[in-house]
Amino acid sequence: MPAAPPAGSGRAGRAALTTACAGLLVGLDTGLIAEALGFIGRDFHASARMQEWIVSVLMLGALLGSLGAGVFSRRFGRRMALGTATLLIAVGALLCATAPVIGQILVGRFLIGGAIGICTFTAPLYISELTTGRMRGTMVTTFSMLQSAGILLGYLAGGIFSGGGHWRLMVGLPLVPAAILFAGCAFLPSSPSWLAARGRFEEARVVLRNLRGDAAAADRELAHIRTELDTDRGVGGFALLRARGYFRRSVALGVGLQVMQQLTGINVVMYYAPKILEGAHFGTSAAAWATVLVGAVNALVGVAAIFMVSRWGRRPLLMTSCVIMALALGAAAAIEGLHLEGMGATLSLMASLLVFVAGFGMGAGPLVWTLCSEIQPIEGRDFGVGCSTLANWGMDWAVSNTFLSIVAAVGAGWTFAGFSVLNGVFVLFTLLLVPETRDVPLDEIEAHLESGRPLRQIGR
């Protein structure tokens, strides 16, 4: 008969799941703005360029939010950072829903972006510090899956409200889950790694024993944390980057992973799916509901990824994901580039986008966040994860702020072809540089990194 799991594993799981719910808020805005954008553009007579800014100003906020999240999280803790983010989302949603002019929408979305930048920095990091072993990969993947669920919820809300053009209800919807998660933050424990980094070792010990349900295991984990802190005590951020070559390598890998994630083209599809489908001769209402199908596939594959990440491992899943995306976008490029028409071409384009989204959801979506939370040494973890999150939102802004203009200049076919090639490059990137970290303790990954092993070999 298998041994019962430690009593504390349930506490760690509940805390990690609550934290992962931040992903719902991150995804919800993506789905909502995709559906609301056309109605906002109509009511405010916004040009295509202004619509690009309505979408992409959120990424500017997220970029700045992720930039400040490391300092805020390091000083005040992960729980406080998460709670602050939920308040910013509520305020931003209220501003958007009540906007009399387009400028207020831009301000509201900028605030929501700042909050999302904090969430995407804090949640994966916080989860990785609360959990161990297989639970770590599963829960960080759950964060990504809930992003997909949030996108689907946003698309569904858009489909329901699109009949009457009720875009204010769409953009105000995040108020509800933000309030619920804010209340949930009151019940979260402090990160044991953060407590130890602040010199509060006894508090860290108590939290670890509650989370692990095994006093001996908790004490061993705290001893590892203290050892790593003592190695680079007082050295952090840019100082650690200058002083330690292994830290420069881990930061560069994290930044590279996030840049490549955005260059897969996922947010082009997620933000502009209704416009892409309308361009393929879907009606406005049909495009809205077809977009819901895109969100549904994204969410369903996100659920499957929770199970696959602990069975397949990081590297095989990530490479398979990129191959699928490259092939799907290659097919979409052919359909658009050859100007194929008729119902068959329309349905084929839709199928290509669905396969692309499925490919992203099974690997590149969840695993990049998982890996970026695993590969950074404890003393520089806030800085390293902050750099990679900053890269994510900076590249997201660059892609989303130029997509419509690029399509206008070179056509949808060449645009999709470019993203297809980049996914092929990502396969090589993974093969050469990405480690397999499944079931490897964070302190072991750090020890391998410090020993000078190639990046591909710092896991197992």
Side-chain angles (χ1 to χ4, degrees):
M1 184 176 178
S9 63
R11 300 189 189 99
R14 287 191 295 273
L17 183 59
T18 300
T19 304
C21 286
L24 188 72
L25 291 172
V26 174
L28 184 60
D29 179 83
T30 300
L32 289 169
I33 197 60
E35 297 285 19
L37 184 62
F39 297 110
I40 294 173
R42 181 199 64 194
D43 285 2
F44 291 102
H45 306 290
S47 65
R49 185 66 184 136
M50 178 55 71
Q51 290 181 53
E52 283 181 332
W53 273 106
I54 291 171
V55 171
S56 64
V57 71
L58 181 136
M59 291 80 183
L60 286 180
L63 191 150
L64 292 177
S66 61
L67 186 64
V71 175
F72 189 93
S73 179
R74 187 180 181 89
R75 181 168 183 179
F76 298 106
R78 318 316 191 198
R79 180 174 59 179
M80 180 69 76
L82 204 60
T84 301
T86 62
L87 283 177
L88 286 175
I89 287 174
V91 172
L94 186 62
L95 285 173
C96 290
T98 59
V101 294
I102 206 165
Q104 185 168 316
I105 293 177
L106 294 175
V107 172
R109 285 187 53 73
F110 182 81
L111 290 179
I112 293 172
I116 287 176
I118 295 171
C119 284
T120 51
F121 168 88
T122 305
L125 177 62
Y126 193 14
I127 291 168
S128 72
E129 293 174 342
L130 292 174
T131 57
T132 59
R134 291 196 172 195
M135 185 186 291
R136 187 177 72 233
T138 297
M139 284 300 174
V140 177
T141 303
T142 299
F143 167 76
S144 182
M145 182 275 290
L146 287 172
Q147 281 187 257
S148 301
I151 292 170
L152 175 58
L153 181 60
Y155 286 160
L156 283 170
I160 292 168
F161 296 133
S162 62
H166 302 301
W167 63 267
R168 294 183 186 275
L169 292 176
M170 297 183 205
V171 297
L173 186 62
L175 274 166
V176 177
I180 294 171
L181 184 56
F182 178 77
C185 287
F187 300 96
L188 292 174
S190 295
S191 160
S193 296
W194 178 79
L195 289 170
R198 306 291 290 177
R200 295 157 61 176
F201 297 111
E202 286 309 310
E203 291 178 65
R205 188 188 309 278
V206 170
V207 172
L208 277 171
R209 288 182 173 183
N210 285 332
L211 291 174
R212 306 292 177 252
D214 182 332
D219 290 345
R220 285 195 300 271
E221 188 173 342
L222 181 59
H224 282 302
I225 292 172
R226 294 190 69 160
T227 299
E228 298 301 335
L229 286 170
D230 288 341
T231 300
D232 292 309
R233 173 61 67 185
V235 182
F238 285 110
L240 188 63
L241 196 69
R242 290 193 300 270
R244 302 286 186 264
Y246 67 81
F247 186 48
R248 290 192 291 273
R249 292 192 300 131
S250 67
V251 170
L253 178 57
V255 168
L257 282 165
Q258 293 287 12
V259 167
M260 290 306 301
Q261 187 200 59
Q262 291 307 307
L263 291 178
T264 62
I266 185 60
N267 282 322
V268 164
V269 175
M270 290 303 176
Y271 290 127
Y272 296 113
K275 285 189 171 294
I276 293 171
L277 294 172
E278 284 179 29
H281 309 295
F282 278 75
T284 301
S285 180
W289 285 107
T291 303
V292 171
L293 183 58
V294 171
V297 169
N298 189 38
L300 288 172
V301 175
V303 173
I306 293 174
F307 301 97
M308 290 189 289
V309 71
S310 296
R311 288 173 171 79
W312 285 27
R314 282 34 163 179
R315 279 166 53 84
L317 201 55
L318 191 54
M319 285 190 284
T320 302
S321 167
C322 293
V323 169
I324 291 172
M325 289 189 291
L327 294 174
L329 288 181
I335 294 166
E336 291 283 355
L338 295 173
H339 305 291
L340 300 179
E341 296 183 357
M343 183 58 68
T346 299
L347 293 178
S348 295
L349 178 61
M350 182 71 196
S352 298
L353 295 180
L354 291 176
V355 172
F356 167 75
V357 169
F360 180 85
M362 70 179 283
L367 289 178
V368 165
W369 293 107
T370 302
L371 286 161
C372 286
S373 70
E374 293 175 329
I375 62 176
Q376 304 300 341
I378 186 172
E379 186 65 17
R381 192 167 294 154
D382 292 86
F383 180 85
V385 175
C387 287
S388 59
T389 307
L390 184 68
N392 176 281
W393 289 111
M395 188 55 63
D396 190 355
W397 174 81
V399 172
S400 63
N401 194 45
T402 56
F403 173 69
L404 294 179
S405 299
I406 292 173
V407 169
V410 303
W414 283 110
T415 304
F416 284 136
F419 284 119
S420 176
V421 170
L422 287 170
N423 277 288
V425 173
F426 202 5
V427 175
L428 296 176
F429 180 93
T430 304
L431 185 64
L432 295 174
L433 295 173
V434 175
E436 179 53 70
T437 57
R438 183 184 63 171
D439 297 338
V440 184
L442 294 181
D443 58 279
E444 190 174 322
I445 295 171
E446 181 167 353
H448 292 164
L449 180 66
E450 291 179 1
S451 71
R453 284 192 185 187
L455 287 170
R456 187 166 55 88
Q457 299 175 12
I458 64 174
R460 61 177 175 85

